[in-house]
Amino acid sequence: MLMQNTYYKYYNLLLLGAISFSALACSNATADDEAEKAYELIRINQLGFYPEGPKVAVIAAATDDNAFHVLSVDDTDTLYTGNLSGERTSPYSGKTTRIAHFSDFKQPGSYKLHVAGLGNSYSFSIREKIYEKLAQASVEGFYLQRMSVELPEKYAGQWARAAGHPDTVVVIHASAASEDRPEGSTIAAPKGWYDAGDYNKYIVNSGITMGTLLSAYEDFPAFANDFSLNIPEQDNDLPDLLDEVLYNLRWMQAMQDPADGGVYHKLTTADFEGMVMPEEATNTRYVVKKTTAATLDFAAVMAQAARVYANFDAQLPGLADSCLQVATSAWKWAEKNPAVLYDQPAMNEDFSPAITTGAYGDGDVSDEFIWAAAELWISTGDEQYREHIKPMGEDEQMPLPSWAQVRSLAYYSLLRHQQTWKENEPEMLKSMKSQLKTMADGLMENHQENAYATIMGGREKDFVWGSSAVAANQGIALLQAYKMFDDKKYLEAALSNLDYLLGRNATGYSFVTGYGHKTPMFIHHRPSEADDNEEPVPGLLSGGPNPGQQDECDYPSDAADESFVDAECSYASNEIAINWNAPLVYLAMAIESYHQQDNKK
């Protein structure tokens, strides 16, 4: 993992509501230092707010003035005045912040926030459907990660590129050899998405990614059915979100060995390829070792996909049935091979060529067994899977999902489909609901005293590799609680983390490329580095602050919440990845869907 026309990009983002003309002005070298300083010190969601929604900004500096003002975008009118909170201190950097609450200002339009002695914030909007374009862009980011196919200008704009990695001739690595598929033989496994900034495909990371996207459809089908994307399949009879998911599903299916049901861990080159465009990256590609984690993640995704695509059998005849068949076949392999773990260094001692790309090694697959069993039980009703579903113990905490920890995905799905089983398992339902509430309430503990008034950053462990995905997954957990308990405090807490991702944070960045005034321009992403555009591929979520700083780039700060650098070298803080974009998709879709539902009441 690791400009054809600048005006064209800004013009399109202006149309999308992603930036305003004031942002274009501030990008000019003519912007004075004081204005730039204010933009940096007033941290705000750089897209904006719903008229009836919460509105919060953070002053990331000491100030003697206790007031703030909402100004018209041309600075001519003061439309609202409020008082700043008392001082707060970041436990990580020791820096002082003050909070500006202006939720009772509801007039649609474009504005700036002003603090005497500091200046103006970036402009922001107050309007309906404020996150609809963001939700669309975050899914279209997956389209721009498609492999094996040309991306024409009609759909990719200035990021159009030639096809790369057809993956029609993929070599069976020695570690993956079997009687029917000996070392050196080949298979075809085209399509799919580039996993991250590199050019490989990994089943384990596709697992949580696909589970999250399919869950977004299951939780918000009405919104997703009307969700229009600029992708080649936009005019067919399948929802565009499911069209995009299907592109990766087809690749995943090709990664299963039909002879035994086992699933290869990844499709990869031996080493990471250079910073070149996809069509120039032509090294030999391999499928590597079948593993229990990959096979169970595959089983879970296919079982979930079976029930989602069952609603579209006329458009995709037989797909749902085939998904269920390969899911059950994968489960059987995993039962026979319950502890085939991926240990790349050990594998390289026994087989060649050595593989040095992303490992996605997981030493504990008990959570994968629970997730796969849950999805299969929901989709089939077969009681053989029920015995593998273990609710949390009273002394255990429901874990936040990640590629290596998928247990809560099982519980989310079980709660989503509780009508099919709750009468027979009332104690399990009670336990899962209690654990979900405990998790959500724990995330919210003391968040109103947080230096940036977000859920994200409430604890130092939030800042890890891919911390932006932590923020998004926290948002999903809170939205699950909102769906279950109908308490708006959870919805507003989830929204605070979207505010975090869009600029209300200790770095001042909106972490979504192309969406905001100050966004990452130098992401660790091969196509963005190798093409002729100044701007990176849009709609991608940068990794975010990571005090581990494993890439050894020069960082401006060692503080956990500031440990981010917008530099191509920084794969530890500024790479992108599909498992980070997927929870952004869910979070933006969910918040927009709930808001539109509320407006219809």
Side-chain angles (χ1 to χ4, degrees):
M1 291 171 59
L2 275 185
M3 210 138 312
Q4 294 173 350
N5 189 332
T6 300
Y7 176 77
Y8 173 85
K9 182 242 186 176
Y10 279 110
Y11 176 73
N12 278 288
L13 292 180
L14 288 165
L15 291 177
L16 293 174
I19 63 174
S20 69
F21 279 104
S22 64
L24 185 55
C26 95
S27 71
N28 266 332
T30 57
D32 61 58
D33 291 342
E34 288 304 313
E36 290 289 348
K37 179 181 178 183
Y39 293 145
E40 293 297 311
L41 294 179
I42 301 176
R43 308 287 165 78
I44 198 165
N45 180 324
Q46 294 172 25
L47 296 192
F49 310 94
Y50 296 118
E52 300 297 325
K55 303 172 190 72
V56 177
V58 172
I59 315 307
T63 175
D64 293 329
D65 200 297
N66 291 319
F68 70 90
H69 312 278
V70 176
L71 309 181
S72 60
V73 76
D74 61 3
D75 296 347
T76 59
D77 296 310
T78 299
L79 303 169
Y80 179 88
T81 297
N83 292 319
L84 297 172
S85 74
E87 291 187 349
R88 302 181 183 186
T89 303
S90 166
Y92 313 116
S93 68
K95 293 181 180 177
T96 296
T97 66
R98 298 181 73 179
I99 312 300
H101 291 277
F102 54 109
S103 300
D104 50 352
F105 180 69
K106 303 176 181 181
Q107 182 179 336
S110 294
Y111 306 99
K112 298 175 184 176
L113 192 140
H114 176 82
V115 176
L118 294 179
N120 296 337
S121 72
Y122 294 120
S123 64
F124 59 89
S125 295
I126 296 177
R127 60 180 175 84
E128 303 295 348
K129 298 186 177 181
I130 190 73
Y131 303 122
E132 187 172 61
K133 294 295 185 183
L134 173 68
Q136 291 168 333
S138 61
V139 182
E140 288 168 0
F142 284 92
Y143 169 74
L144 295 170
Q145 286 286 91
R146 283 191 190 184
M147 58 193 307
S148 310
V149 68
E150 175 191 10
L151 304 186
E153 186 176 358
K154 179 179 179 180
Y155 304 110
Q158 69 191 78
W159 297 278
R161 57 173 169 81
H165 301 98
D167 284 346
T168 52
V169 181
V170 180
V171 177
I172 302 293
H173 188 261
S175 65
S178 63
E179 182 177 350
D180 293 325
R181 292 179 169 182
E183 177 186 359
S185 61
T186 62
I187 63 169
K191 299 190 175 183
W193 304 307
Y194 295 120
D195 177 76
D198 63 285
Y199 286 145
N200 302 309
K201 298 183 284 193
Y202 308 83
I203 286 290
V204 166
N205 212 36
S206 270
I208 186 171
T209 300
M210 295 284 278
T212 302
L213 294 175
L214 288 166
S215 294
Y217 183 85
E218 287 199 286
D219 281 339
F220 308 101
F223 183 86
N225 286 339
D226 292 334
F227 193 55
S228 179
L229 302 174
N230 186 32
I231 60 175
E233 301 85 359
Q234 60 186 327
D235 294 324
N236 67 14
D237 294 329
L238 197 66
D240 289 355
L241 176 63
L242 296 186
D243 277 318
E244 194 55 52
V245 169
L246 183 61
Y247 195 81
N248 198 65
L249 190 78
R250 297 294 195 193
W251 164 68
M252 290 184 71
Q253 289 177 326
M255 290 291 285
Q256 183 179 46
D257 184 347
D260 61 13
V263 178
Y264 303 112
H265 196 74
K266 58 180 174 176
L267 193 163
T268 180
T269 47
D271 303 302
F272 287 115
E273 294 182 276
M275 296 298 177
V276 297
M277 292 301 289
E279 69 272 19
E280 298 169 0
T282 58
N283 291 342
T284 301
R285 292 167 71 79
Y286 301 89
V287 287
V288 177
K289 190 178 181 176
K290 300 167 192 171
T291 64
T292 307
T295 303
L296 288 168
D297 284 339
F298 175 96
V301 168
M302 292 300 157
Q304 187 176 15
R307 61 177 181 265
V308 169
Y309 287 99
N311 298 312
F312 301 96
D313 192 58
Q315 296 90 333
L316 298 165
L319 176 63
D321 289 340
S322 67
C323 284
L324 206 53
Q325 289 170 5
V326 298
T328 56
S329 176
W331 175 266
K332 290 175 183 176
W333 187 92
E335 281 194 307
K336 295 176 183 176
N337 300 274
V340 181
L341 307 180
Y342 190 74
D343 183 339
Q344 193 157 275
M347 183 186 75
N348 287 338
E349 290 181 4
D350 296 329
F351 303 106
S352 62
I355 304 295
T356 62
T357 55
Y360 288 108
D362 188 349
D364 181 357
V365 295
S366 60
D367 53 308
E368 283 83 3
F369 268 107
I370 293 170
W371 183 33
E375 301 295 354
L376 280 160
W377 187 47
I378 294 165
S379 292
T380 68
D382 191 330
E383 287 298 313
Q384 69 166 306
Y385 303 114
R386 166 63 188 91
E387 65 186 65
H388 294 273
I389 302 170
K390 299 177 176 61
M392 306 294 298
E394 290 186 7
D395 59 341
E396 294 181 279
Q397 292 184 346
M398 188 178 285
L400 198 70
S402 68
W403 65 262
Q405 178 48 260
V406 293
R407 187 171 185 173
S408 292
L409 297 185
Y411 302 148
Y412 293 170
S413 283
L414 288 163
L415 290 171
R416 181 180 301 124
H417 295 280
Q418 61 181 274
Q419 295 300 329
T420 66
W421 59 268
K422 67 177 184 178
E423 298 302 326
N424 297 324
E425 300 283 353
E427 288 303 313
M428 186 167 78
L429 176 60
K430 180 180 177 182
S431 173
M432 287 183 182
K433 291 176 70 173
S434 174
Q435 285 288 342
L436 176 61
K437 190 174 189 306
T438 298
M439 178 191 195
D441 290 345
L443 288 171
M444 293 184 62
E445 188 175 6
N446 299 322
H447 88 281
Q448 294 292 356
E449 285 72 51
N450 184 311
Y452 292 87
T454 60
I455 298 298
M456 179 63 182
R459 53 207 62 76
E460 189 166 9
K461 68 180 182 180
D462 290 352
F463 298 105
V464 294
W465 200 320
S467 62
S468 292
V470 172
N473 277 306
Q474 287 176 343
I476 292 176
L478 291 160
L479 289 166
Q480 295 295 317
Y482 174 62
K483 181 159 62 79
M484 187 60 52
F485 305 113
D486 195 29
D487 188 333
K488 281 214 166 181
K489 72 180 183 182
Y490 297 121
L491 177 60
E492 292 188 359
L495 182 54
S496 82
N497 271 17
L498 189 55
D499 288 343
Y500 168 91
L501 292 173
L502 294 172
R504 201 174 91 210
N505 58 61
T507 73
Y509 278 91
S510 167
F511 292 117
V512 185
T513 56
Y515 280 76
H517 301 268
K518 181 182 178 182
T519 65
M521 293 292 289
F522 306 102
I523 55 175
H524 184 88
H525 179 239
R526 280 160 175 76
S528 294
E529 292 185 40
D531 68 13
D532 294 327
N533 295 303
E534 279 186 35
E535 304 85 7
V537 170
L540 303 179
L541 183 63
S542 172
N546 174 15
Q549 301 183 3
Q550 293 87 346
D551 47 44
E552 300 182 356
C553 294
D554 290 328
Y555 284 71
S557 173
D558 292 330
D561 58 350
E562 297 178 345
S563 186
F564 173 82
V565 59
D566 182 20
E568 294 166 353
C569 67
S570 186
Y571 54 81
S573 78
N574 202 31
E575 192 171 7
I576 59 90
I578 57 174
N579 65 310
W580 303 343
N581 249 64
L584 173 64
V585 170
Y586 187 108
L587 184 59
M589 280 184 62
I591 287 174
E592 189 62 39
S593 177
Y594 280 130
H595 185 75
Q596 292 184 24
Q597 288 175 32
D598 287 346
N599 281 351
K600 292 177 182 178
K601 292 178 180 178

